[in-house]
């Protein structure tokens, strides 16, 4: 076999020495970040205004990073430090300035191809798909890479419609979120996401699981059956969010999904599972595995913490040439770091009932129960979620009140976000790869203080 000279390059001693010095410099700076520090509000606001001038939209709060942090702590552009429990809407599972991931990215950044595509990929393209398929639900045979979760979902709908032609309609749950492209905005059950966009009536909605209604599963299955009878030959697939993200971090028992999926199987609908947000967070690599639904999955979209996005699909859904193409598959850095993230997730004890993610969930839920008892009645109406996806309903669950708590938390040094459609909730996408019990305790203390401050103001 012809020797590939390019493979010698990363091991060049000059490269190794340069990488060592870079990592030492980052580690030295990162170690100085040990806790929350006050903001320079004028400096942060000036940075936010600079961004607003070029993007045409202001920030909700000025969370502009400096480019460095330490675990769950992130340094902002003014030099202040916040405790980050939203992690860039779930991107930074291993926290900030993780030296192992930076080391991987340095190796990748030395390659001559910055962005890899589908015409001339490097080995990193193959290695990421290979490790994903090795650990994916058993029916996943192939994968296609993309830059965003929305594009992974766009690819999903294309291969589904090609397979099921002339059927074209999609069924999903109330409060679903699928992305922000034109098609995904139509699937997403939020009118605010498609103001001014055409709606073609190609999506149907059934209720998500309601834990307060013992007949919830039967009602959802019945409505799905009604739609199938009403639109014979027109429904192609059901899109499942196993934990609703933007819709409020709503969860459901496996039996609910199994009943819905059995109905899909009976009527030959494609089962499309959106794991863009749940991938790696629930206590198994896929929520599909956590909920023991592997046998049903036909198509799975993933992303966020992976640093890249992908669509995995079964043999039956493998599309014809020309349907799913495109220039970019991901950067060499994102592909390499994505592979390393999966390696670490499956080898460093994150999964299972005694894994790190389960331990984080237990700690957070325990602290939230304490807060419910120590704060005034109604300060925390309820909380829920799974693994590293946690939500809290503060006060009356109004959008205004929740946003006020998010801002108050930011002012106290805690980065969180919101979700839901009413009641609205606080949202945590926890960096489980970097959290300690002390971090969790501090975050819950700050959130509790923020809720109480807002409660007092709103009396």
């Amino acid at each position: 076999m012809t020797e590939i000279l390019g493979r010698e390059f990363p091991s060049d001693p000059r490269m190794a020495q340069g990488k060592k010095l870079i990592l030492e410099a980052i580690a030295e700076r990162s170690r100085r970040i040990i806790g929350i520090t006050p903001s320079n509000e004028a400096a942060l606001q000036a940075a936010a205004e600079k961004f607003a001038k070029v993007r045409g939209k202001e920030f909700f709060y000025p969370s502009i990073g400096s480019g460095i942090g330490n675990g769950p702590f992130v340094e902002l552009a003014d030099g202040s430090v916040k405790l980050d429990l939203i992690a860039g809407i779930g991107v930074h599972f291993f926290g900030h300035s993780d030296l192992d991931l930076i080391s991987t990215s340095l190796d990748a950044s030395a390659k001559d191809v910055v962005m890899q595509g589908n015409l001339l990929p490097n080995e990193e393209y193959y290695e990421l798909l290979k490790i994903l398929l090795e650990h994916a639900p058993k029916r996943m045979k192939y994968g296609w890479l993309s830059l965003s979760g929305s594009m992974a979902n766009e690819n999903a709908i294309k291969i589904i419609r090609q397979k099921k032609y002339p059927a074209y309609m999609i069924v999903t749950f109330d409060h679903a979120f699928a992305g922000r492209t034109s098609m995904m905005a139509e699937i997403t059950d939020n009118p605010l996401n498609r103001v001014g966009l055409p709606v073609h009536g190609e999506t149907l909605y059934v209720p998500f699981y309601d834990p307060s209604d013992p007949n919830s599963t039967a009602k959802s299955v019945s409505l799905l059956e009604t739609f199938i009878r009403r639109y014979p030959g027109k429904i192609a697939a059901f899109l499942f969010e196993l934990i609703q993200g933007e819709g409020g971090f709503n969860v459901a028992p496996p039996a609910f999904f199994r009943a819905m999926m059995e109905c899909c199987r009976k009527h030959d609908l494609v089962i499309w599972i959106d794991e863009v947000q749940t991938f790696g967070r629930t206590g198994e690599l896929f929520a599909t595995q956590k909920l023991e639904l592997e046998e049903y999955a036909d198509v799975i979209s993933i992303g966020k913490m992976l640093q890249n996005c992908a669509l995995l699909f079964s043999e039956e859904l493998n599309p014809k040439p020309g349907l799913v193409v495109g220039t970019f598959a991901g950067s060499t850095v994102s592909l390499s770091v994505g592979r390393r993230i999966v390696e670490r997730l499956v080898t460093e004890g994150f999964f299972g009932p005694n894994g790190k993610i389960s331990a984080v969930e237990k700690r957070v839920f325990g602290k939230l129960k304490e807060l419910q008892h120590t704060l005034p009645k109604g300060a925390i109406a309820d909380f829920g979620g799974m693994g590293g996806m946690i939500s809290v309903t503060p006060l009356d669950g109004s959008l205004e009140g929740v946003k006020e708590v998010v801002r108050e938390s930011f002012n106290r040094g805690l980065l969180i976000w919101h979700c839901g459609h009413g009641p609205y909730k606080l949202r945590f996408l926890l960096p489980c790869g970097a959290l300690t019990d002390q971090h969790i305790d501090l975050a819950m203390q700050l959130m509790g203080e923020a809720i109480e401050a807002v409660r007092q103001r709103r009396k």
Side-chain angles (χ1 to χ4, degrees):
M1 180 178 176
T2 303
E3 184 179 6
I4 301 176
L5 297 178
R7 290 182 180 169
E8 298 176 357
F9 185 58
S11 60
D12 185 302
R14 293 169 296 179
M15 292 288 293
Q17 179 64 13
K19 176 180 169 182
K20 177 175 179 291
L21 292 172
I22 291 171
L23 291 174
E24 286 177 354
I26 293 170
E28 181 182 326
R29 180 67 185 87
S30 178
R31 282 193 295 268
R32 300 176 193 171
I33 300 172
I34 58 175
I36 295 168
T37 61
S39 297
N40 180 331
E41 293 185 13
L44 271 184
Q45 189 58 39
E49 289 173 358
K50 179 181 73 173
F51 275 73
K53 287 179 181 178
V54 294
R55 76 180 204 149
K57 184 179 180 183
E58 294 182 350
F59 287 96
F60 181 81
Y61 49 54
S63 54
I64 303 165
S66 72
I68 200 161
N70 185 358
F73 293 109
V74 59
E75 184 184 78
L76 298 189
D78 67 330
S80 66
V81 176
K82 306 286 187 184
L83 179 57
D84 181 10
L85 292 200
I86 191 59
I89 310 296
V91 175
H92 309 298
F93 180 83
F94 287 96
H96 296 273
S97 295
D98 182 278
L99 293 180
D100 177 71
L101 298 183
I102 292 173
S103 175
T104 301
S105 71
L106 288 172
D107 289 339
S109 65
K111 306 294 178 68
D112 84 309
V113 177
V114 176
M115 292 293 296
Q116 294 193 29
N118 300 297
L119 181 63
L120 182 62
N122 286 6
E123 191 75 4
E124 294 83 9
Y125 182 111
Y126 165 79
E127 291 293 340
L128 177 55
L129 281 177
K130 178 175 177 287
I131 196 171
L132 287 172
L133 291 168
E134 284 174 351
H135 296 283
K138 56 188 177 181
R139 297 189 63 246
M140 299 300 98
K141 183 70 178 293
Y142 305 111
W144 197 268
L145 299 172
S146 62
L147 298 180
S148 72
S150 291
M151 284 311 303
N153 281 338
E154 287 280 349
N155 288 335
I157 201 168
K158 286 198 292 186
I159 69 173
I160 288 167
R161 284 175 167 173
Q162 184 180 78
K163 173 69 176 178
K164 301 301 295 182
Y165 181 84
Y168 64 94
M169 299 178 78
I170 304 297
V171 185
T172 191
F173 292 117
D174 292 340
H175 309 302
F177 181 85
R180 296 185 184 275
T181 60
S182 293
M183 185 65 232
M184 293 307 111
E186 179 159 347
I187 292 175
T188 294
D189 184 24
N190 186 347
L192 294 178
N193 287 26
R194 49 177 180 262
V195 173
L197 300 180
V199 177
H200 299 101
E202 298 176 355
T203 306
L204 305 167
Y205 301 96
V206 301
F208 194 75
Y209 180 72
D210 180 356
S212 68
D213 183 355
N215 297 314
S216 175
T217 299
K219 288 177 180 177
S220 293
V221 171
S222 176
L223 184 54
L224 176 57
E225 293 271 12
T226 298
F227 284 147
I228 291 167
R229 290 193 302 270
R230 184 177 298 166
Y231 303 101
K234 293 184 178 181
I235 298 176
F238 197 116
L239 171 56
F240 289 87
E241 280 182 285
L242 301 181
I243 301 176
Q244 291 195 308
E246 297 288 332
F249 279 23
N250 305 312
V251 300
F256 171 77
F257 294 118
R258 198 168 290 117
M260 299 295 293
M261 291 178 181
E262 287 288 355
C263 183
C264 292
R265 280 279 176 268
K266 183 173 73 171
H267 295 285
D268 197 28
L269 306 186
V270 173
I271 295 173
W272 168 15
I273 301 179
D274 182 340
E275 292 224 32
V276 171
Q277 194 157 172
T278 53
F279 177 76
R281 285 183 218 287
T282 63
E284 298 295 342
L285 190 61
F286 292 81
T288 309
Q289 296 163 331
K290 171 76 173 181
L291 298 174
E292 299 182 340
L293 301 169
E294 293 184 71
E295 65 186 284
Y296 296 102
D298 295 313
V299 182
I300 303 177
S301 48
I302 59 177
K304 285 197 182 289
M305 79 152 69
L306 188 64
Q307 308 299 301
N308 216 87
C309 295
L311 180 69
L312 309 181
F313 45 92
S314 65
E315 179 76 63
E316 296 82 0
L317 272 293
N318 195 11
K320 297 176 183 178
L323 182 73
V324 179
V325 288
T327 301
F328 293 134
S331 72
T332 300
V333 168
S334 69
L335 298 173
S336 299
V337 174
R339 174 194 52 77
R340 181 63 183 143
I341 284 171
V342 177
E343 286 177 350
R344 290 180 62 178
L345 287 171
V346 299
T347 61
E348 293 184 2
F350 283 97
F351 301 142
N354 298 314
K356 295 178 183 178
I357 292 175
S358 178
V360 167
E361 177 191 294
K362 290 174 184 175
R363 183 77 179 193
V364 173
F365 282 168
K367 300 305 290 186
L368 288 170
K369 287 178 183 177
E370 289 180 18
L371 280 176
Q372 273 191 318
H373 286 98
T374 57
L375 290 174
K377 184 177 180 180
I380 294 180
D382 61 26
F383 58 86
M386 182 186 297
M389 300 176 65
I390 305 295
S391 66
V392 176
T393 307
L395 307 172
D396 62 354
S398 68
L399 180 58
E400 297 77 14
V402 167
K403 286 184 174 181
E404 193 173 346
V405 172
V406 170
R407 288 194 175 94
E408 182 67 30
S409 297
F410 178 84
N411 293 338
R412 292 170 181 269
L414 177 64
L415 287 175
I416 56 177
W417 199 234
H418 56 82
C419 63
H421 296 159
Y424 294 88
K425 305 173 184 179
L426 305 173
R427 170 165 43 156
F428 298 82
L429 283 164
L430 301 172
C432 295
L435 280 180
T436 66
D437 287 350
Q438 290 72 30
H439 296 140
I440 293 169
D441 295 353
L442 175 60
M444 296 301 104
Q445 174 192 330
L446 293 171
M447 183 199 67
E449 291 173 356
I451 291 172
E452 177 58 12
V454 172
R455 189 188 72 84
Q456 291 286 348
R457 286 200 296 265
R458 294 172 66 87
K459 276 185 176 180

